[in-house]
């Protein structure tokens, strides 16, 4: 094998999918991203097979796993010749790995599927139906998720009942740019994205260590988001999952977050959006300070000074004096 990507092309649809497909059933691309997920991989791939929606285009992408995952992916690709296999010879990260499959794909809607998670059988059908009942400016549909541990044991829901008829974190639909800036509320594995939205963004930003916050910020500026109140996905929490690495010393996640906040500052248009971004920056600053990420604290504070209205900046300055004392800066 040479040092280029190893690509095994197949026919675009299996015979079963082709017979079931019709003009009214859009193609949905599932990009199944794997990096050292051998313990969870078969369950994840079997959950694709369990989908009640048949008009699927499946891309299996291995980002240079070292745990035998590639052999399992080869096995499934051989067993299901409509699926595409892309084995990357070196680890390039989620954003770049996803883009390589996305740019070769053709589905009207796209799911970025980490293969340590699990799709519930009606996931694709429910989200396609939501898109078809929504306005053309809806660029992404997301939903609730069941959280599970490494062994598959339930840990609760992402959007939990709050005891007052709502959910915590509260989902938001429509023009959600300010909400995306202010707080985390979307369960990333539940997202189905409209291809036109992703194409307008140029796919994921490959300079970043992770994709979701950047996608939310850039997409929600011009596209609406829609919350589907269904549990469509099992999201796995385990020590090696990407979310568990955020804010660790020397981890690039926080640097990427700062870069996304810089983009957001260039996109804000209203005082309310500035307040929302300032709220985010204050939260990120506190996380960085607690972990003694001194350079990142200073970068975040510079952004906060540029984004915050005067009253909010005064409060931030008072907090900053305490932060400086705590980090010795």
């Amino acid at each position: 094998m040479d040092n280029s990507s190893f690509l095994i092309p197949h026919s675009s649809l299996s015979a079963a999918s082709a017979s079931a497909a019709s003009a009214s059933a859009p193609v949905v691309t599932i990009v199944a991203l794997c990096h050292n997920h051998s313990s969870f991989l078969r369950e994840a791939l079997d959950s694709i097979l369990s989908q009640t929606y048949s008009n699927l285009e499946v891309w299996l992408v291995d980002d240079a796993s070292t745990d035998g995952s590639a052999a399992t992916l080869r096995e499934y690709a051989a067993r299901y010749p409509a699926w595409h296999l892309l084995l990357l010879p070196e680890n390039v990260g989620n954003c770049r790995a996803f883009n390589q499959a996305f740019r070769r794909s053709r589905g009207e809607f796209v799911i970025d599927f980490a293969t340590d998670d699990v799709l519930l059988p009606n996931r694709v059908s429910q989200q396609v139906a939501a898109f078809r009942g929504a306005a053309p400016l809806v660029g992404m549909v997301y939903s609730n998720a069941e959280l599970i541990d490494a062994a598959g044991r339930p840990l609760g829901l992402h959007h939990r009942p709050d005891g007052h008829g709502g959910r915590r974190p509260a989902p938001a639909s429509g023009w959600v740019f300010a909400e995306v800036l202010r707080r985390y509320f979307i369960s990333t594995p539940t997202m189905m994205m409209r291809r036109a939205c992703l194409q307008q963004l140029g796919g994921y930003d490959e300079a970043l260590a992770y994709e979701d916050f950047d996608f939310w910020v850039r997409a929600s500026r011009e596209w609406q988001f829609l919350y589907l109140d269904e549990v469509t996905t099992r999201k796995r929490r385990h020590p090696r999952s990407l979310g568990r690495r955020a804010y660790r010393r020397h981890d690039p996640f926080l640097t990427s977050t700062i870069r996304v906040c810089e983009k957001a500052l260039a996109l804000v248009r209203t005082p309310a959006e500035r307040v929302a971004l300032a709220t985010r920056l204050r939260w990120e600053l506190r996380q960085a300070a607690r972990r003694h990420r001194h350079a990142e604290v200073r970068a975040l504070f510079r952004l906060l000074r540029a984004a915050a209205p005067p009253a909010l900046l005064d409060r931030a300055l008072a907090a900053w004096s305490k932060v400086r004392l705590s980090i010795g800066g």
Side-chain angles (χ1 to χ4, degrees):
M1 185 186 303
D2 62 21
N3 290 327
S4 62
S5 299
F6 179 51
L7 173 65
I8 301 177
H10 296 293
S11 58
S12 59
L13 287 173
S14 67
S17 294
S19 63
S22 68
S24 62
V27 176
V28 175
T29 295
I30 298 177
V31 178
L33 285 176
C34 178
H35 179 66
N36 291 339
H37 288 161
S38 61
S39 299
F40 316 118
L41 188 52
R42 291 183 183 277
E43 184 179 11
L45 299 182
D46 287 346
S47 78
I48 298 175
L49 294 168
S50 75
Q51 291 303 298
T52 59
Y53 191 90
S54 60
N55 203 4
L56 299 176
E57 177 194 43
V58 179
W59 284 82
L60 306 178
V61 184
D62 185 71
D63 193 13
S65 293
T66 59
D67 66 349
S69 292
T72 302
L73 293 171
R74 287 177 183 272
E75 174 192 329
Y76 274 76
R79 192 185 307 168
Y80 303 101
W83 290 11
H84 306 262
L85 179 63
L86 181 60
L87 302 178
L88 303 180
E90 60 181 355
N91 183 256
V92 298
N94 276 20
C95 297
R96 189 173 168 193
F98 173 86
N99 280 349
Q100 291 200 34
F102 169 65
R103 288 165 183 158
R104 292 175 166 105
S105 70
R106 64 186 185 87
E108 182 179 346
F109 305 111
V110 182
I111 293 174
D112 177 352
F113 177 40
T115 53
D116 51 353
D117 296 323
V118 181
L119 306 175
L120 296 182
N122 291 323
R123 157 76 183 265
V124 176
S125 295
Q126 289 173 323
Q127 292 190 312
V128 169
F131 262 119
R132 295 176 77 179
L137 277 176
V138 170
M140 190 269 281
V141 170
Y142 70 104
S143 63
N144 206 345
E146 180 185 20
L147 308 177
I148 58 175
D149 67 11
R153 294 182 291 256
L155 300 173
L157 297 176
H158 176 82
H159 295 284
R160 307 172 301 279
D162 64 4
H164 304 285
R167 296 194 179 275
R168 184 185 302 115
S173 292
W175 298 108
V176 299
F177 179 71
E179 286 301 300
V180 161
L181 295 184
R182 182 178 294 109
R183 62 191 178 94
Y184 288 114
F185 60 94
I186 297 168
S187 177
T188 302
T190 71
M191 298 192 310
M192 178 183 282
M193 298 167 283
R194 191 185 294 274
R195 181 178 201 84
C197 175
L198 267 173
Q199 284 181 320
Q200 185 182 79
L201 301 178
Y204 291 159
D205 183 343
E206 296 181 8
L208 301 178
Y210 71 103
E211 72 290 340
D212 49 11
F213 183 34
D214 182 65
F215 171 80
W216 300 336
V217 168
R218 293 192 294 143
S220 64
R221 179 74 284 175
E222 303 295 339
W223 297 81
Q224 295 182 6
F225 291 0
L226 177 64
Y227 176 68
L228 173 66
D229 192 16
E230 299 284 351
V231 177
T232 66
T233 307
R234 292 193 177 105
K235 176 182 179 180
R236 197 179 305 271
R237 288 182 169 176
H238 58 92
R240 291 183 293 107
S241 58
L242 291 178
R244 295 295 182 94
R245 289 161 37 191
Y247 305 106
R248 292 181 184 175
R249 188 176 296 275
H250 307 305
D251 191 274
F253 274 54
L254 184 54
T255 301
S256 291
T257 297
I258 293 170
R259 175 65 188 123
V260 177
C261 289
E262 291 171 346
K263 295 184 188 183
L265 180 58
L267 292 172
V268 294
R269 298 172 183 168
T270 68
E273 291 170 356
R274 282 189 171 272
V275 169
L277 177 57
T279 301
R280 160 75 59 163
L281 289 166
R282 291 174 65 197
W283 189 87
E284 296 290 352
L285 192 152
R286 288 196 298 272
Q287 307 313 308
R290 289 191 185 114
R291 292 159 178 85
H292 305 285
R293 300 286 295 267
H294 301 181
E296 290 84 357
V297 165
R298 290 173 173 82
L300 286 161
F301 189 71
R302 286 193 294 269
L303 273 174
L304 182 59
R305 290 182 67 180
L312 190 59
L313 183 57
D314 288 343
R315 294 198 296 272
L317 284 168
W320 173 242
S321 64
K322 298 177 182 178
V323 170
R324 291 183 65 188
L325 288 172
S326 70
I327 66 173

